[in-house]
Amino acid sequence: MVSSSLFHCRKHSWPPDEYVSRATLQLLDFDGAAPPEQAWRRRLNSHANRLKEFSVTFMEAMRMMRLGVRLWSYVREEASQGRKAPIDPFTRERCKPSASQGVPLGGMGSGSISRGFRGEFKHWQIIPGLCEMSPVMANQFSIFISRDGGNKKYSSVLAPGHHEGIKKFGDKGISSWDWNLSGQHSTYHALFPRAWTIYDGEPDPELKISCRQISPFIPHDYKESSLPTCVFVYTLVNTGRERAKVSLLLTWANSIGGVSHQSGDHANEPFIGEDGVYGVLLHHKTAKDNPPVTFAIAACETQNVNVTVLPCFGISGENCVTASDMWGTMLQDGQFDRANFNAGRSMPSLPGETLCAAVSASAWVEPHGKCTVAFALAWSSPKVKFQKGCIYHRRYTKFYGTSERSAVNLVHDALMRYKWWEEEIEKWQNPILKNEKLPEWYKFTLFNELYFLVAGGTVWTDGEPPTAEEKSITGSHHKSTKKDGRTGSTRNGRVELAAERAAAYSVENDDEKVLPEPHLDHRLALPQKENNPLLNPPSGVENVGRFLYLEGVEYIMWCTYDVHFYASFALLDLFPKIELSIQRDFARAVLYEDRRKVKFLADGNWGIRKVRGAVPHDLGTHDPWQEMNAYNIHDTSRWKDLNPKFVLQIYRDFAATGDMSFGREVWPAVCAAMDYMEQFDRDGDGLIENDGFPDQTYDAWTVHGISAYCGCLWLAALQAAAAMGQRLGDHAFAEKCKIKFLKAKTVFEAKLWNGSYFNYDSGTSSNSRSIQADQLAGQWYAASSGLPSLFDESKVRSTLQKIFEFNVMKVKGGRMGAVNGMHPNGKVDESCMQSREIWTGVTYSVAANMLLAGMEHQAFTTAEGIFTAGWSEEGFGYWFQTPEGWTTDGHYRSLIYMRPLAIWAMQWALSPPKAILEAPKVNMMDRIYESPFTLRTLNETGVRQIAPKSSCFSNTVFHCEC
C-alpha cells in the first residue's frame, strides 16, 4: 500500500474520469447517478492491506509495567462482571483491521453499520459500546442479467470475489454463489454521507451500473439525521442492441454482526407496505437481555420494476431453502414466487442456524435505455440499554414510536424522501465543493471525516429519563469498594479542599444532590432517577435529546471531554443544539460530586469518582450521566486541562450561538470550574502549575511546573471567563479574571518564551525545551471565539512557523502531519510514547490555528500530511477509520477516533459564524469599576456564592450589549 511516492510527489486532483471512462460518466449523468467531481476514490480491486498497530519501546514498557499489571487486573475484574473495560489493550479482535473501510450507513445515534469500499457490510455497532468488526458475508447486492431470449446470461455478487471457499464442491452456502466480479473496471467514490459505486461494464460489458448509497445526515435537521435507515439507488444503462432483463438482489442475514446469527430464536416475515414498498422484516433477538432489533430490507415497485421476496433461506442447509437453492432460483427465473408475500412469520430459528432473507427487483431495460431501482435498509432498535441496566429510548422514536415494526415505516419514508435528502445535502456541501480557493483533497476529506458522527458509536436518546431493570435496582451485583479500611472520603487533602470550596455553589440548590456514598448501592431506585436533574431534560429548553459519542471504538468512554475539545467544532457548526446539549450535561456535572471510591491505575491510589468543581473526563461507559469518569488511569480531578477546556468551549458556544439563556444556565458551572483551578496556583502568581505526572490529555507525557499547553489553556480560559462575565453582567468575576490574566500572562512569557517558541515546560528535564505542536491550543480557541490574541502577533506567528519547520517538515518532508514533540536539534522527542506520535486531530487543530494567524500555505501543507498518510492511495490505509495517531513509520494507535473531527476547526477558521465576528470585544487591559466592598470580598475569599439556577439572578444582573 505505501509506496516511495508518499514522500516525493504531491497530487492535487482526483478527477472521476481517471477512474471511470468519460463515455460512462456521460451516460450516467442524470438523476445523480454519476459520481461527483470531488470525492475520495478507489478501484474495487485495490488491495486492502492489513493495518499495522503501534508498539511500545522496551523502556516505555518498563516504565508502564506497574500500570499494565493493574490494568490487566481491572480488565479481568470487569470481565467477571460481564462488562468490557473502557480501555482494554489485551483483548484482540478476531477480525484484523484492514484498509477496506467506506462510508457508514444511516443517521446518528441509532446504531450504525459500516460498508467497506468493496461492498461488505461490517463494523456493526447496534449495541452501545460493542463493535463487531467482521463483515457478514451473506449481506450482499447481486445482479442477474439475461439477453437474447436467455441465450446470453451474466450473474455475480456485486463485490470482488475474495470470499474463501468459493465454489467449493457440494457447498450449499454463499460460496456457491457466482463471485465473478474482478473489480478491475469498478470504482468507489465517497463523499459522506453519500457514496457511489460504478460498475463500468462488469459483469455485463454492455450494462453500465451506478449504485448510489444515501444516508439521512442533514445538518440542522434533528429529525431526519436521527433515522436508522439508508437507501441504495441503482441506475442501469443498457448500451447494447437488445433488451436486457436485469434482476437486482439484496440478501441479508438475521444478524447484528459477529456470531449473533447463530444464537437462535430469530424470525423473518414478508411485508407489503404503501406506495409499492415491498420487503422482509428480520426480527432479531439479541443476547444478554439486550433490546431486540428488527431489520427491514425493501425495494420500491414501479411500473417497470417488479419486486419479489424470499422471506427465509439458510446458509448451511439447515432450512428447506438453502443459499444455493435461492441462487439457483434467481439464475433460472430472475425473481421469486409472488406467493411468498403470504408466508407469514417464520418459525423461530434454532441455535446454530443462520436465517437470511432476500428481496429481488427486476426490470426490463430497453436498448440504449435507462432504469432506476431503489432499495432501502432500516434497523429498528427503539431501546438502548447500557450494561448497568439503564434503558433509554432512541431519538428517532419521537417520530416513529417504540415498536420494532417501525422499520416498515422507516424504509417506506426513506424510499419516498431520499431525493429531498440529496437536495439538502447538496445545498450544504456545494458552497464548499465549488470554492476554487480550497484544495481538492481538503474538500472531500472535510466531509468524509464526519463518518465518525455515525460510526463512532453514537447514541442519541429522546431526552427523557431512563427506566431501569429490576435486577439493576437491587444492586445485587454491586461489589463494595470499602477496601483496606478506607471510607468514603478521599485521602487527597487538596482534592478535599477543592470539593469544600466548590461546595459554596450548592447553597439551597436541589440540583446538587451528592450521589450515594460507596457503601450504598450504586444504583439509584427508579423514583430517585426521575428526580435526578442529571437525567431530566432542563426546563424551558427545546428537547433535542441527549447525545453520546465514543472517544473511539477502542477507548469506550462517552463524550471524552478533553478530546471533544478538538472534535466539537463539527457539532457546533452542523448540529449546534446537540453541542449545547452536551455542554449542559457537563455544566450540570461540574456541580456534582460522586464519592464512590475508585482505584487509579497509574499509581494504585484510591480517590473518589467525581469531585465537585472538577470537570469530568467523560460521561461514563456502562451508566452514562450517572456514573461518570469511566477513565481510571489517572485521577482526572487533578488534570490541568479539563476545566480550562470547559470554560473555553462554553464561551465559544455562547459567543457563536448568541444564546443568552444558555449562558445564564451554565455560568455557575463556569465560575465553579475557574475557582476550582485556584488550588493549582501554588505560588500565587496567577498561573497554574502541573504536578510532575501526565495531568492532561497527553496522559503518558509528564509535565513539570508551568507548561506551554496547560498554561496557554489557562490564560485563554481567564480571558473567556472575563468576556462571558462581562456580557452576562457579572462584572466582579470578570474583573477578577482580568487581574489574574494580566498577572499570569507576564509569568507565562517570562518562564517559557525562548525567543522563537514556548518551551514545553519550566522544568529541567531533557524535554523541557521540546517544541510541542499543541503549545498554542489556548490561542487557537481564543482566536476561534473572537477573543483578543493572548500574545503579540509576532510571537504567535514565530511559534507556529517553528512548529511548521520542525514538527511538520522535518518528519518525512511534511507528508505525515505534525509530530507532538520535537527537540530543538530537529530530532523527534522520544521521551514517551505520545511525544513521538503524530496525532491527527491535533494536526488539524494546529492547521486551524495557522489559518487564524493568516498562514494559509503552512496550514494546508500541515493538514495535507494527514490526508497523504491516512487517506491517499499511497498512504497507510486509514480512510473512514482515522486513528488517534500514528508513529513516524505509520503504525496506528486507536482506530476510529473522535479527535480528527477537528478538521472542522479549519473550516470554522475559514468561515467563522457572523455571531463570532460581531461578538462584543473585551479589552483585557480595561478595568471594570467595582465597589471597594466587592473587590475586598474577592481578595479575602477568592470564592463567590452563585445560585446555580438562572432564575435566581435578578434582571439587573444579566443584561446583554448585543
Side-chain angles (χ1 to χ4, degrees), residues 271-279 408 412:
F271 71 86
I272 299 176
E274 299 176 351
D275 300 309
V277 175
Y278 299 161
V408 173
H412 171 272

Side-chain angles (χ1 to χ4, degrees), residues 477-499:
H477 65 278
H478 176 61
K479 297 180 69 175
S480 173
T481 55
K482 292 175 68 176
K483 299 181 180 180
D484 302 326
R486 295 182 180 88
T487 63
S489 60
T490 177
R491 297 183 298 161
N492 187 327
R494 188 168 298 281
V495 174
E496 285 181 333
L497 176 61

Side-chain angles (χ1 to χ4, degrees), residues 804-856:
F804 177 72
E805 292 174 357
F806 279 71
N807 301 62
V808 178
M809 299 307 295
K810 289 187 181 295
V811 180
K812 302 296 196 305
R815 300 297 197 272
M816 298 285 289
V819 70
N820 284 336
M822 178 71 77
H823 289 297
N825 62 4
K827 294 183 178 180
V828 173
D829 183 346
E830 297 188 347
S831 57
C832 74
M833 173 183 72
Q834 291 173 341
S835 64
R836 60 184 173 90
E837 288 180 326
I838 295 159
W839 283 12
T840 53
V842 167
T843 298
Y844 286 143
S845 72
V846 170
N849 210 352
M850 291 172 174
L851 287 173
L852 292 163
M855 302 167 66
E856 288 82 3

